[in-house]
Amino acid sequence: MSEGNSFFGPVDPAPDAGWVGAPERVGFFTDTSVCIGCKACEVACKEWNGVPSSGFDLLGMSYDNTGALTANSWRHVAFVEQSSSAGSAGGAAVAAQVVGDSGTEPGVPSGDAGAAVRGAGGGEFLGMPGSGPPGRLSGVEERSDFRWLMMSDVCKHCTHAACLDVCPTGSLFRTEFGSVVVQEDICNGCGYCVSACPYGVIDRRAGDGRAWKCTLCYDRLGAGLTPACAQACPTESIQFGPLARLRERAEERVAVLRERGVSGARLYGHDPGDGVGGDGAFFLLLDEPEVYGLPPDPVVTTRDLPRMWRRAGVAAVAMVAAVVASFVGGSS
């Protein structure tokens, strides 16, 4: 791990936070290559945690009407519409489970892998739903390469969590499982954590003022249960378990995808040497992080605080010395 990226550490967060005999750190591994955008995770999260509705908002830009992680959306399934390059066709083919010339299932016409990919992708611009399946009415020959990238985003439960560093009331705390939780009855709504989060995850609820975010279903973990979102995911895109084991599984999955020709497959947030000491919720992506709205190189925003305080101390000492010297010089 790079020490320069750490405000405090090293980095087994629960023991560092004072937990004695803490269990193995747990978290999420989200494999976006098998996400189907069903939003079951969003619904399960809201239902279990009693997260209020965000209202019936049609954003008019995509099938995704959640838009972003907010105080009222602790899970957000992003829908990214992307014209696919020749190199990404393999990714779509794998995601669509193309097998030889027999087409895909469900719902994609038979033919070669390229045609199946185009059928799975639809037209260049899908917009709002039409009267038939995207691209299906215009014929295979007029379809262009296109793919959906879907990802269920969530709080990353950073190893070095800047939100913890700046909270003045102790509302945010590190659990024995390594996750970061907001205690709503202690939060005073100052909002320092909102600006400190390098991912823009934490948000204050309108009309309430307090900060809210994913708790990794802390109550369920305490009862030995899986978080609601992972429990509801029908494709096991969201996997929950000990973080070390998830990282091994993710490495194996990336190797399999690349062997099948998905050259863009990569992990995000898995590396303890990155700017936040690694995330408790990390992802397998099929393109650059920016495509999914993720920062490419996140850094704990409180990293520079020790250096700033040292410099402020040196400046204060120098100022006092100058004042003393001026009085001594004047009297002599």
Side-chain angles (χ1 to χ4, degrees):
M1 188 197 69
S2 171
E3 292 183 1
N5 287 334
S6 176
F7 180 40
F8 59 85
V11 268
D12 197 351
D16 285 351
W19 291 97
V20 178
E24 190 175 5
R25 187 181 182 188
V26 295
F28 289 129
F29 162 47
T30 301
D31 181 353
T32 68
S33 70
V34 294
C35 178
I36 57 174
C38 66
K39 290 182 176 280
C41 53
E42 288 190 15
V43 175
C45 175
K46 277 185 175 289
E47 199 167 273
W48 179 264
N49 294 292
V51 179
S53 168
S54 304
F56 186 65
D57 296 325
L58 291 176
L59 302 183
M61 298 174 60
S62 166
Y63 291 101
D64 169 25
N65 289 304
T66 304
L69 291 173
T70 67
N72 292 342
S73 297
W74 299 357
R75 272 276 177 189
H76 167 228
V77 179
F79 284 55
V80 180
E81 304 175 10
Q82 186 182 62
S83 296
S84 61
S85 63
S88 62
V94 170
Q97 293 292 298
V98 173
V99 180
D101 294 335
S102 61
T104 68
E105 55 179 285
V108 177
S110 301
D112 61 21
V117 169
R118 288 192 292 275
E124 287 185 350
F125 174 70
L126 297 182
M128 299 303 291
S131 59
R136 199 70 57 81
L137 302 179
S138 57
V140 173
E141 65 282 354
E142 295 185 14
R143 297 173 188 154
S144 58
D145 287 347
F146 188 90
R147 67 174 178 175
W148 291 102
L149 296 176
M150 299 170 185
M151 182 198 72
S152 180
D153 199 7
V154 71
C155 172
K156 313 303 181 294
H157 297 278
C158 307
T159 300
H160 297 305
C163 55
L164 280 174
D165 299 334
V166 301
C167 181
T169 65
S171 169
L172 282 144
F173 75 102
R174 180 77 67 179
T175 74
E176 66 270 36
F177 303 105
S179 55
V180 179
V181 171
V182 183
Q183 301 173 92
E184 65 271 15
D185 55 336
I186 301 178
C187 178
N188 66 359
C190 67
Y192 293 167
C193 56
V194 176
S195 54
C197 177
Y199 296 102
V201 166
I202 309 180
D203 186 29
R204 286 189 295 176
R205 185 171 293 161
D208 176 307
R210 295 175 293 176
W212 300 84
K213 73 171 193 69
C214 162
T215 67
L216 206 75
C217 283
Y218 186 42
D219 53 346
R220 291 179 64 91
L221 296 190
L225 300 174
T226 299
C229 55
Q231 186 72 25
C233 181
T235 64
E236 296 187 349
S237 172
I238 303 172
Q239 300 177 32
F240 168 78
L243 210 51
R245 203 176 309 162
L246 290 178
R247 285 171 176 159
E248 293 177 1
R249 193 181 302 168
E251 296 281 0
E252 293 172 0
R253 175 64 177 160
V254 168
V256 168
L257 288 175
R258 289 181 176 172
E259 187 179 325
R260 293 177 182 176
V262 187
S263 59
R266 73 202 68 196
L267 296 180
Y268 178 85
H270 69 298
D271 183 5
D274 67 18
V276 294
D279 293 324
F282 66 99
F283 302 84
L284 188 157
L285 305 178
L286 299 179
D287 208 327
E288 299 288 344
E290 299 94 317
V291 172
Y292 298 86
L294 297 169
D297 188 20
V299 173
V300 59
T301 52
T302 49
R303 179 188 61 177
D304 296 328
L305 277 181
R307 196 182 328 161
M308 293 168 61
W309 281 114
R310 281 196 297 272
R311 289 178 178 175
V314 170
V317 170
M319 186 176 297
V320 170
V323 170
V324 171
S326 67
F327 276 105
V328 172
S331 62
S332 63

